[in-house]
C-alpha cells in the first residue's frame, strides 16, 4: 500500500488554524505527506482564504506541490468575484462555491425543521434556476486566472448550472464530493458533467463516516470512468484519520471493489496532476 501513496495527492484537506479544532496544522500535514512519499495537497478552509498559507507551506516543502484558495461563504462576502480575484493575485489556485453556508446544504441539514429561516444562506441561482450575475462573474475570474472551480455544497441542480456555464468559458469544474447525501449528483448528472469537461470528486469522508457506501462509490466511479474522477479525503476532523492514512485506507477499500493499482493511480495521481498543471499554467 506504500507504493500506492507514492506520488499521490489529496486535494481536499482541512487543517489548523481554523475556527474549529482540526486534526493537525499545515506543518504537521506537510511532514506526514513527505514521510509517506506523497506529492502534494490542497488545503481548504470554509471561512478563510488559504492561498498565502499554501504558498508559505510550498516554500518550506519544495518537494511538495501545495495549492490553496478561497471558499465563497459569507466571511468573504459570499459569491464575491472580488474575493476570487484577490485570491488569484495571492497565488490561489482553487475557488469553491458556498459550502456550509449554501442554502441547499442548510435545507438538507434542517430537513426536519420546515419552519427554519434559511434566508441568510447562499444560493448561486435565482428562483427560476438561472445563475446569478455574480456567480457568472466568479466563473469569468476563475477562467482568466485558470483557477479550478469546486461546486462546494450547493445543490446538484445549481452545480450543473455552473458546469454548463463553465464549459462555455473553458473553465475547469470539480463536482465537490459528488456522492455526499447533502448535495449528491445523479449518475446522469455526473455523466453530463464529465462530457462537458468537469471532474467528479469522491471523498473518503462520506464512506468513513457512513454517509455513502463504498459499493455506491464504486458504482458511480465505474459510470463515468476513472479518468474523470478525483479521489480525496476531505479529512481534518478530530474523529477522522490523518490525510495520508485516509488515502491509504480509501485505496484499500476500493481495491476490495475490484479497482486495480493502475486505476487508483489515475484517480490519486494523474487526475490531480492534470488539475494542478492547469492551475500552474497561469503562473
Amino acid at each position: 500500500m506504500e507504493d500506492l501513496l507514492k506520488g499521490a495527492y489529496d486535494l481536499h484537506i482541512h487543517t489548523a488554524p481554523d475556527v474549529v479544532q482540526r486534526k493537525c496544522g499545515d506543518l504537521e500535514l506537510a511532514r506526514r505527506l513527505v514521510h509517506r512519499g506523497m506529492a502534494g495537497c490542497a488545503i481548504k478552509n470554509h471561512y478563510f482564504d488559504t492561498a498565502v498559507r499554501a504558498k508559505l507551506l510550498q516554500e518550506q516543502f519544495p518537494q511538495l506541490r501545495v495549492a490553496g484558495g478561497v471558499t465563497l461563504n459569507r466571511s468573504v462576502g459570499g459569491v464575491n468575484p472580488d474575493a476570487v480575484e484577490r485570491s488569484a493575485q495571492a497565488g490561489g489556485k482553487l475557488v469553491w462555491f458556498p459550502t456550509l453556508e449554501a442554502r441547499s446544504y442548510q435545507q438538507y441539514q434542517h430537513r426536519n425543521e420546515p419552519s427554519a429561516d434559511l434566508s441568510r444562506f447562499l444560493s448561486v441561482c435565482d428562483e427560476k434556476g438561472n445563475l446569478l450575475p455574480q456567480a457568472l462573474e466568479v466563473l469569468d475570474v476563475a477562467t482568466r486566472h485558470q483557477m479550478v472551480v469546486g461546486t462546494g455544497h450547493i445543490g446538484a441542480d445549481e452545480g450543473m448550472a455552473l458546469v454548463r456555464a463553465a464549459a462555455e468559458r473553458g473553465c475547469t469544474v470539480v463536482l465537490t464530493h459528488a456522492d455526499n447525501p447533502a448535495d449528491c449528483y445523479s449518475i446522469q448528472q455526473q455523466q453530463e458533467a464529465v462530457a462537458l469537461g468537469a471532474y467528479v470528486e469522491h471523498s473518503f469522508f462520506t464512506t468513513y463516516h457512513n454517509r455513502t457506501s463504498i459499493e455506491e462509490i464504486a458504482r458511480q466511479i465505474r459510470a463515468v470512468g476513472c479518468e474523470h474522477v478525483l479521489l480525496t479525503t476531505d479529512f481534518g476532523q478530530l474523529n477522522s484519520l490523518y490525510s495520508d492514512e485516509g488515502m491509504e485506507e480509501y485505496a484499500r477499500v476500493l481495491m476490495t471493489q475490484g479497482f486495480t493499482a493502475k486505476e487508483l493511480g489515475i484517480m490519486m495521481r494523474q487526475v490531480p496532476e492534470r488539475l494542478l498543471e492547469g492551475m500552474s499554467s497561469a503562473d
Side-chain angles (χ1 to χ4, degrees):
M1 203 60 72
E2 284 284 346
D3 287 341
L4 287 176
L5 285 186
K6 296 292 185 185
Y9 296 82
D10 185 354
L11 298 187
H12 192 156
I13 312 173
H14 295 273
T15 49
D18 203 342
V19 298
V20 296
Q21 192 173 357
R22 290 300 187 184
K23 186 83 170 181
C24 68
D26 296 341
L27 290 172
E28 183 180 0
L29 168 69
R31 293 186 188 107
R32 292 186 68 94
L33 298 187
V34 169
H35 178 70
R36 298 302 298 273
M38 292 179 65
C41 65
I43 52 176
K44 180 179 179 183
N45 190 291
H46 290 296
Y47 304 112
F48 308 115
D49 195 317
T50 59
V52 173
R53 283 168 54 183
K55 184 177 289 187
L56 291 171
L57 203 61
Q58 178 78 76
E59 290 175 356
Q60 295 177 75
F61 296 87
Q63 64 271 60
L64 296 176
R65 299 179 70 175
V66 184
V70 64
T71 305
L72 300 178
N73 289 314
R74 292 176 298 173
S75 53
V76 299
V79 184
N80 180 3
D82 291 326
V84 181
E85 184 76 41
R86 295 295 179 244
S87 181
Q89 290 170 344
K93 305 298 184 184
L94 298 138
V95 53
W96 293 272
F97 275 86
T99 56
L100 300 183
E101 295 179 345
R103 189 175 302 160
S104 59
Y105 173 80
Q106 289 296 326
Q107 287 170 341
Y108 178 84
Q109 296 298 108
H110 294 86
R111 59 193 178 278
N112 297 320
E113 305 170 45
S115 61
D117 179 12
L118 306 179
S119 59
R120 68 187 184 280
F121 294 109
L122 303 167
S123 177
V124 302
C125 292
D126 62 20
E127 296 80 3
K128 296 180 180 180
N130 298 314
L131 286 171
L132 298 172
Q134 57 266 41
L136 293 172
E137 288 184 56
V138 165
L139 292 179
D140 289 337
V141 174
T143 303
R144 186 166 65 253
H145 291 285
Q146 296 187 323
M147 302 173 82
V148 171
V149 172
T151 54
H153 295 188
I154 62 175
D157 289 341
E158 292 178 287
M160 290 306 299
L162 285 176
V163 167
R164 296 178 191 118
E168 296 173 355
R169 292 160 167 77
C171 181
T172 301
V173 173
V174 173
L175 302 185
T176 307
H177 41 54
D179 58 89
N180 192 309
D183 50 53
C184 59
Y185 292 75
S186 69
I187 292 291
Q188 293 74 23
Q189 287 173 322
Q190 292 182 34
Q191 290 172 333
E192 179 187 349
V194 302
L196 291 171
Y199 293 86
V200 178
E201 178 193 27
H202 289 291
S203 300
F204 192 39
F205 177 94
T206 54
T207 297
Y208 186 77
H209 291 287
N210 300 311
R211 311 285 175 83
T212 309
S213 71
I214 195 63
E215 291 80 10
E216 177 60 19
I217 299 291
R219 185 179 80 92
Q220 293 186 22
I221 293 173
R222 292 298 186 199
V224 301
C226 296
E227 67 275 15
H228 303 294
V229 172
L230 170 69
L231 297 182
T232 68
T233 64
D234 189 13
F235 278 174
Q237 307 80 20
L238 297 181
N239 62 343
S240 294
L241 302 173
Y242 286 99
S243 169
D244 57 292
E245 296 172 334
M247 290 300 289
E248 182 178 62
E249 180 70 4
Y250 207 5
R252 187 188 68 78
V253 296
L254 282 169
M255 291 183 85
T256 70
Q257 299 300 307
F259 289 93
T260 65
K262 181 179 180 180
E263 290 174 321
L264 292 168
I266 291 171
M267 298 183 284
M268 295 167 62
R269 289 192 291 273
Q270 293 181 23
V271 169
E273 281 178 352
R274 198 178 308 153
L275 290 169
L276 289 170
E277 286 299 328
M279 300 174 198
S280 299
S281 62
D283 291 345

